[in-house]
Amino acid sequence: MAEAVIQTEKLTRKFGSFTAVDEISFSVASGEIFGFLGANGAGKTTAMKMLTGLLAPTSGEATVAGFDVYRETESIRRNIGYMSQRFSLYDDLTPRENIRFFGGIYGLGSSELREKGERLLDSLDLQESADTRLAALPLGWKQKLAFSVALLHEPKLIFLDEPTGGVDPVTRRRFWDMIYDATDRGVTVFVTTHYMDEAEYCDRVSIMVDGRIAALDTPAMLKKQFAAETMNEVFIQLARPAKRGEG
Amino acid sequence: MSPAIQTERLCKQFGTVEALREASLSVAEAELFGLIGADGAGKTTLLRILATLLVPDSGKATMLGLDTVAGYREIRTRIGYMPGRFSLYQDLSVEENLNFFATVFGATVEENYNLIRDIYAQLEPFRKRRAGQLSGGMKQKLALCCALVHRPELLLLDEPTTGVDAVSRQEFWQMLQRLKAQGITILVSTPYMDEAVLCDRVAFMQEGRILAIDTPQGITKLFTRPLFAVRGSDRHKLIAELRSYEHARSAYAFGNSVHYTDARETADPSELASWLRSRGFDDATVERIAPGIEDTFMALMEEKPKELADG
Amino acid sequence: MKRFIAFVRKEFYHIVRDRRTAAILFGMPILQLLLFGYAIRNEVSEVRTGILDMSHDTVTEAITDKLFSSGTFIFAGNLQSEKEIAPAFAAGRMNEVVVFEPDFAGRLQKDGVARMQVVTDGSDPNVSRIVTGYTQAVVSDYLAEQADGSARQVGVEAVPLMMFNPSLKSVYLFVPGLMAMILMLVSALMTSISITREKESGTMELLLVSSLRPVQIIVGKVVPYLLLSFVNVVTVVSLAYFVFGVPCRGNVALLFAESLLFIMTALSLGIMISTITNSQQVAMMVSLAGLLLPTVLLSGFIFPIHSMAWPLQVISNIIPARWYLVIVRGIMLKGAGIAVLWKETLTLLVMTVLFMAASVRKFSERLQ
């Protein structure tokens, strides 16, 4: 197995008496597309916050991109990309301004940034709209741009939090084309989604139930294990008996 | 019998954005009707016009036989509406929200309890909890209860399952089926294609237009080209290769296979399989399949100008 | 009616559950009054005072004693001539010098008039004015104790404000202004925010669809804040009365009635703001820039209206707080009744009706 980009060992987070994430252990290999599924309230968001260095774990170990989640959160953030449906880009800036701003934040030099930015606008076919405010662009374009911007500083690992929510099926698939392109360049992808067909596009999938990882394997193996036709059935079998409807 | 909902060439523009372009549909009494489309397709605008919250620029809509502009007061007392975002008071408890909405709609929870009993039973353990602290699925159930508590004849639900996990979505649709069985007309919008099969009829929406209306079974008849499911080891390379095939119309990942649409009227799966083998995909299998709703929607989208596909 | 009560109850839940806002609402008036009140009092409590007594008789010594026993003035030394005054001020050794003319007691006896001069450091006119007033008050106290009417006129320059604020305590002036400010803030800001919050959270969509009439929604929003603001009026007035000893010379019931009227004016303004804005942020900015600042700056609270440039004087007429200030000062400090204040009352009434009518008209039963 290739080197692990994410490695956790009994990673736990409690809020008061409530254990949001309960001793999860898993590893994500370099270049892998890792699907991180779970019902609402299963602890996905909390786990993701710990892995991106936004939230300190209560106990357990984890390294992300080779850095410790307790002590080296600065380095983690510099070495990962992050994109979510909720937080992506500034709607009142143009694509070009967004690229310049986020590139600047990631510490790219101005000449490097200009060159990369132009290449990005070309590849996304966005030159014509490069100076239109983002708010006026279709959602699908915004998401592609957000994804590319999150990769501007060439991180080894990118976290995608429900990246395709609300977009049409064609755009959703185009987005996955981009994800595959990124993995071809060696980027490791950690992705959450509510679309169960997208779970099939991942190399391996973990399903969280009540703060624990209830299953982790390739989609094919999971379907075999649960004697299911689709990942949706696997998911429902696992998540249905969840105690914690709440959280 | 007159339809419960009827719209004729509804148009609505916000600034330069045409949110709705000549949308016409009709929904029968006690029908479960789905509006399927992505964000920005015009679903919310259409539902808001029907909820009498927006006035169309042109066209006409009637709800329960009443004009949505002239008869808005009466319509409001007879329908239930669940907006797209979670729109209950987060700082009020489950119980307080329900009682509040019952009262402002001039009803009581007790008199209509049998209608919401199934749904409310699941909320019961949390009735003292603030609505803001409920999980996504529970919030949606509470919102549905609040929309039902005055026993409306017609329900308008704007993306009730968006952002909700697969289990909660399944439960939510079971509830809708039971409500329909009680004679309530339901118009529901969703971005999830797989939910379309759960409706009596669906309308596909894209960029403010209604692309097609039919039963879930009927609508797939609009897909006329040959459709193959292709399986192979390296899916990403496989998709790229299929798109380069001279007769290819489209190739998209679909679950664990790739759905390939041929541009010709008829095509032979074995022909494609042997081509793939000649390109080095030795383990590739090709199988003719019947189009699903998502295949149909995507095909209809792609028949529209390029801007749609990108948007 | 049941719907309406349900609505009002819901509003109270919002207010009570949002602890931070509730704390601000009820705590702010108290805190501000205490802050303003004590800050001002401290300012004039350590007046370093020098004495230039050219008479040295029993009366001047009695007045001097009284001055320093009040606690406000600190003895900063005796001066021998007028030439020493300016250097003492410049060095910051003294804030005030009291000068008694020669043969002070004799003249008082003979002519009924004796002259003393209160010299203050004019570089801070506000403090000077207050210090002068304090000194005068002490002197007139002393003379009143002598109970000899003939000795009333002591040659000290009169300050016009003396008449209604004999001790010139600033807290007297602050109370009406503070009441206006707090009521404006609570009533207008909080209502405008609470309506726009419903627009932001999407609950307004549901309220509209519930076929509640606009009037019901508006009145439902007004009632809770009307009560809240009234609680604040009572708090501020009792604090002023019991802690700072501000008198209420007029009718208390009239004061509360006028306050209710002003609250209504502010509430209707708040609702008007909420009908034209769609986000809490904008509502807050509009309320702060459009209501709070003018209330503080243009109502006569801090800067006297008669000393403003004429365009500002004209603008001040449309500031509700301007009229309310006149009313509160009239009732509390002058003991005036409705016969004197009917014009201001009518102005507020007309404003309220206009704002309310505009709000109900502008309140959209649909989304924009």
Side-chain angles (χ1 to χ4, degrees):
Chain A
M1 201 169 176
E3 66 171 304
V5 175
I6 299 176
Q7 178 90 50
T8 78
E9 189 61 46
K10 297 194 171 174
L11 192 65
T12 301
R13 173 70 204 202
K14 292 182 181 166
F15 295 103
S17 62
F18 175 76
T19 308
V21 173
D22 194 0
E23 300 200 344
I24 58 171
S25 305
F26 66 93
S27 70
V28 178
S30 176
E32 192 175 23
I33 302 179
F34 189 84
F36 197 60
L37 311 186
N40 300 117
K44 269 183 310 174
T45 311
T46 307
M48 197 120 148
K49 279 187 182 157
M50 288 193 279
L51 295 176
T52 49
L54 296 175
L55 189 69
T58 309
S59 63
E61 299 296 324
T63 55
V64 174
F67 299 102
D68 184 88
V69 290
Y70 289 95
R71 298 186 312 272
E72 296 166 308
T73 54
E74 249 337 283
S75 309
I76 289 179
R77 270 175 252 160
R78 259 202 308 277
N79 284 281
I80 61 167
Y82 178 80
M83 176 211 162
S84 92
Q85 191 196 349
R86 287 172 292 276
F87 172 76
S88 41
L89 303 174
Y90 291 104
D91 249 4
D92 53 349
L93 299 184
T94 67
R96 192 167 269 140
E97 288 161 350
N98 267 298
I99 292 172
R100 204 177 302 148
F101 174 73
F102 283 101
I105 281 188
Y106 288 129
L108 298 188
S110 63
S111 60
E112 187 189 7
L113 190 56
R114 194 170 311 124
E115 186 203 329
K116 273 192 174 171
E118 289 311 303
R119 218 173 334 136
L120 187 63
L121 290 170
D122 283 336
S123 69
L124 291 174
D125 213 7
L126 263 177
Q127 281 292 5
E128 253 175 72
S129 318
D131 296 310
T132 317
R133 284 194 190 180
L134 216 59
L137 294 178
L139 182 65
W141 276 9
K142 283 192 234 177
Q143 282 171 329
K144 286 184 202 168
L145 182 63
F147 180 69
S148 309
V149 167
L151 286 173
L152 259 185
H153 60 302
E154 296 174 6
K156 284 191 282 184
L157 167 66
I158 184 165
F159 286 88
L160 304 174
D161 190 6
E162 287 179 41
T164 55
V167 299
D168 66 72
V170 172
T171 309
R172 216 145 60 73
R173 286 175 173 79
R174 297 249 160 96
F175 192 87
W176 274 89
D177 289 343
M178 292 186 70
I179 293 180
Y180 281 122
D181 285 342
T183 55
D184 283 351
R185 296 197 304 270
V187 178
T188 309
V189 177
F190 186 98
V191 58
T192 72
T193 179
H194 279 309
Y195 293 95
M196 287 305 137
D197 60 325
E198 291 187 347
E200 306 259 9
Y201 310 156
C202 302
D203 294 320
R204 284 194 307 146
V205 171
S206 81
I207 298 177
M208 272 188 89
V209 178
D210 289 346
R212 294 168 168 275
I213 291 185
L216 197 172
D217 213 325
T218 62
M221 288 304 286
L222 284 174
K223 281 185 285 185
K224 207 164 145 193
Q225 185 187 340
F226 290 89
E229 286 279 302
T230 61
M231 279 304 291
N232 196 38
E233 285 175 38
V234 174
F235 183 84
I236 287 174
Q237 275 190 44
L238 278 168
R240 165 89 60 207
K243 308 261 178 314
R244 194 199 288 173
E246 290 311 288
Chain B
M1 200 168 68
S2 67
I5 301 172
Q6 175 107 47
T7 78
E8 275 163 49
R9 303 166 74 88
L10 285 181
C11 294
K12 182 74 186 178
Q13 196 159 350
F14 298 105
T16 56
V17 180
E18 287 181 73
L20 211 53
R21 315 185 200 195
E22 307 212 333
S24 304
L25 58 79
S26 105
V27 179
E29 230 172 79
E31 188 175 15
L32 176 49
F33 192 99
L35 289 176
I36 318 283
D39 282 4
K43 302 185 304 272
T44 298
T45 306
L46 177 54
L47 283 168
R48 282 182 169 166
I49 288 175
L50 295 177
T52 75
L53 288 170
L54 285 176
V55 175
D57 295 338
S58 65
K60 185 172 150 43
T62 58
M63 296 272 284
L64 304 163
L66 298 158
D67 185 89
T68 52
V69 180
Y72 73 100
R73 277 254 157 79
E74 190 182 339
I75 291 176
R76 287 178 181 187
T77 63
R78 292 171 61 186
I79 65 162
Y81 170 58
M82 188 172 148
R85 285 172 305 152
F86 177 67
S87 304
L88 300 177
Y89 296 102
Q90 315 250 4
D91 54 343
L92 261 54
S93 71
V94 168
E95 210 172 39
E96 286 162 353
N97 264 299
L98 193 61
N99 283 324
F100 173 71
F101 283 105
T103 317
V104 295
F105 278 97
T108 64
V109 176
E110 292 72 32
E111 71 191 37
N112 294 320
Y113 189 71
N114 60 346
L115 188 64
I116 57 169
R117 186 173 40 217
D118 286 347
I119 313 166
Y120 193 65
Q122 301 180 44
L123 288 163
E124 193 82 52
F126 314 110
R127 72 198 155 85
K128 297 278 181 212
R129 191 179 288 197
R130 304 263 165 96
Q133 285 154 14
L134 294 172
S135 71
M138 285 292 173
K139 278 182 181 167
Q140 299 303 67
K141 283 169 200 161
L142 176 58
L144 182 62
C145 278
C146 290
L148 277 172
V149 74
H150 60 295
R151 191 173 282 280
E153 297 159 58
L154 196 159
L155 262 184
L156 300 174
L157 309 174
D158 193 2
E159 298 204 10
T161 53
T162 293
V164 174
D165 66 65
V167 174
S168 300
R169 275 167 54 195
Q170 200 183 41
E171 286 171 1
F172 197 86
W173 277 91
Q174 285 162 358
M175 288 168 197
L176 295 190
Q177 300 288 356
R178 283 196 290 271
L179 292 172
K180 173 188 134 66
Q182 299 200 36
I184 296 175
T185 309
I186 302 171
L187 179 60
V188 55
S189 71
T190 176
Y192 296 101
M193 298 291 145
D194 55 347
E195 292 180 347
V197 288
L198 304 166
C199 302
D200 295 330
R201 284 193 305 147
V202 293
F204 284 169
M205 290 191 75
Q206 180 74 12
E207 298 252 308
R209 289 195 190 84
I210 292 181
L211 302 178
I213 301 177
D214 209 326
T215 60
Q217 298 73 35
I219 210 157
T220 57
K221 296 204 175 73
L222 297 169
F223 193 103
T224 51
R225 294 172 200 279
L227 179 70
F228 303 145
V230 184
R231 289 187 174 79
S233 47
D234 188 338
R235 186 168 31 206
H236 186 213
K237 285 217 183 70
L238 187 61
I239 291 173
E241 201 63 41
L242 284 168
R243 283 183 186 154
S244 72
Y245 185 50
E246 57 175 326
H247 300 299
R249 181 179 168 82
S250 68
Y252 290 114
F254 247 88
N256 62 352
S257 65
V258 177
H259 284 194
Y260 163 87
T261 309
D262 204 278
R264 295 166 292 181
E265 291 289 308
T266 56
D268 186 3
S270 57
E271 179 195 14
L272 180 63
S274 54
W275 180 78
L276 278 173
R277 267 190 293 281
S278 76
R279 310 292 295 179
F281 291 87
D282 295 331
D283 63 345
T285 63
V286 182
E287 175 192 0
R288 182 187 293 275
I289 52 166
I293 293 198
E294 193 156 358
D295 296 303
T296 313
F297 187 90
M298 288 167 69
L300 288 172
M301 270 179 66
E302 298 208 310
E303 275 168 28
K304 297 283 156 192
K306 182 182 163 294
E307 41 152 346
L308 298 188
D310 271 332
Chain C
M1 197 58 202
K2 244 167 67 188
R3 296 181 182 198
F4 179 70
I5 291 168
F7 196 96
V8 172
R9 187 171 49 224
K10 172 195 76 92
E11 287 304 317
F12 274 112
Y13 285 147
H14 290 322
I15 294 164
V16 175
R17 302 229 166 129
D18 190 355
R19 296 255 170 83
R20 206 172 311 159
T21 309
I24 292 172
L25 280 186
F26 292 110
M28 186 193 63
I30 299 172
L31 200 70
Q32 278 188 332
L33 193 62
L34 291 178
L35 265 175
F36 278 128
Y38 280 115
I40 298 300
R41 271 155 55 119
N42 286 342
E43 224 168 17
V44 292
S45 70
E46 285 171 14
V47 184
R48 290 185 297 278
T49 304
I51 301 292
L52 174 48
D53 192 345
M54 304 188 216
S55 176
H56 285 292
D57 55 45
T58 51
V59 178
T60 61
E61 269 158 24
I63 292 178
T64 306
D65 281 350
K66 195 163 173 55
L67 205 58
F68 292 117
S69 66
S70 72
T72 307
F73 301 93
I74 296 172
F75 179 68
N78 278 311
L79 302 180
Q80 301 311 319
S81 82
E82 287 177 28
K83 282 183 200 134
E84 294 174 31
I85 297 179
F89 281 169
R93 272 191 295 121
M94 291 174 191
N95 307 115
E96 180 193 46
V97 174
V98 177
V99 185
F100 295 100
E101 69 174 335
D103 193 21
F104 193 86
R107 286 190 192 207
L108 198 61
Q109 188 89 55
K110 266 195 301 222
D111 314 333
V113 179
R115 287 189 305 176
M116 60 182 278
Q117 203 178 8
V118 179
V119 187
T120 52
D121 183 354
S123 61
D124 190 343
N126 249 340
V127 175
S128 292
R129 203 156 52 89
I130 295 164
V131 166
T132 309
Y134 261 53
T135 312
Q136 283 175 311
V138 171
V139 174
S140 52
D141 259 13
Y142 168 77
L143 293 174
E145 281 166 21
Q146 305 306 306
D148 186 352
S150 64
R152 278 245 98 156
Q153 296 171 325
V154 181
V156 179
E157 194 186 339
V159 177
L161 273 168
M162 257 188 80
M163 214 175 126
F164 306 119
N165 189 1
S167 59
L168 249 181
K169 282 190 178 168
S170 294
V171 70
Y172 287 20
L173 295 178
F174 256 99
V175 169
L178 212 55
M179 281 169 70
M181 194 179 88
I182 289 163
L183 296 183
M184 210 27 136
L185 195 76
V186 173
S187 313
L189 189 64
M190 295 324 256
T191 38
S192 66
I193 287 178
S194 100
I195 293 186
T196 44
R197 181 168 53 205
E198 301 230 22
K199 289 189 188 178
E200 270 184 4
S201 69
T203 44
M204 187 55 86
E205 267 181 77
L206 284 178
L207 292 183
L208 291 176
V209 173
S210 76
S211 76
L212 275 173
R213 299 294 169 101
V215 178
Q216 284 176 307
I217 296 178
I218 288 179
V219 178
K221 287 281 178 192
V222 163
V223 169
Y225 288 100
L226 192 71
L227 294 177
L228 262 183
S229 306
F230 196 69
V231 170
N232 276 330
V233 172
V234 175
T235 315
V236 172
V237 172
S238 8
L239 216 58
Y241 186 82
F242 291 112
V243 178
F244 294 109
V246 181
C248 183
R249 301 204 167 92
N251 189 331
V252 180
L254 179 65
L255 178 66
F256 286 152
E258 295 277 7
S259 299
L260 273 178
L261 173 62
F262 180 65
I263 293 169
M264 285 300 294
T265 318
L267 284 171
S268 47
L269 257 171
I271 287 168
M272 205 167 79
I273 290 171
S274 72
T275 57
I276 51 169
T277 53
N278 281 320
S279 76
Q280 295 184 60
Q281 242 180 20
V282 177
M284 193 182 301
M285 294 309 288
V286 172
S287 302
L288 284 177
L291 297 181
L292 196 60
L293 287 183
T295 298
V296 173
L297 300 177
L298 295 179
S299 66
F301 174 18
I302 290 182
F303 306 112
I305 289 171
H306 59 79
S307 63
M308 288 175 193
W310 71 266
L312 292 180
Q313 288 199 30
V314 173
I315 293 172
S316 78
N317 283 316
I318 58 163
I319 312 280
R322 180 209 159 130
W323 306 104
Y324 180 63
L325 225 60
V326 174
I327 293 173
V328 176
R329 283 179 180 164
I331 297 174
M332 291 187 79
L333 302 179
K334 298 187 205 173
I338 189 74
V340 180
L341 300 169
W342 66 272
K343 227 166 63 188
E344 286 78 12
T345 309
L346 192 68
T347 311
L348 284 183
L349 208 61
V350 169
M351 281 181 170
T352 309
V353 171
L354 283 179
F355 294 146
M356 268 297 177
S359 310
V360 175
R361 264 183 70 107
K362 284 238 41 157
F363 189 90
S364 173
E365 282 187 84
R366 294 195 165 87
L367 302 170
Q368 266 81 40

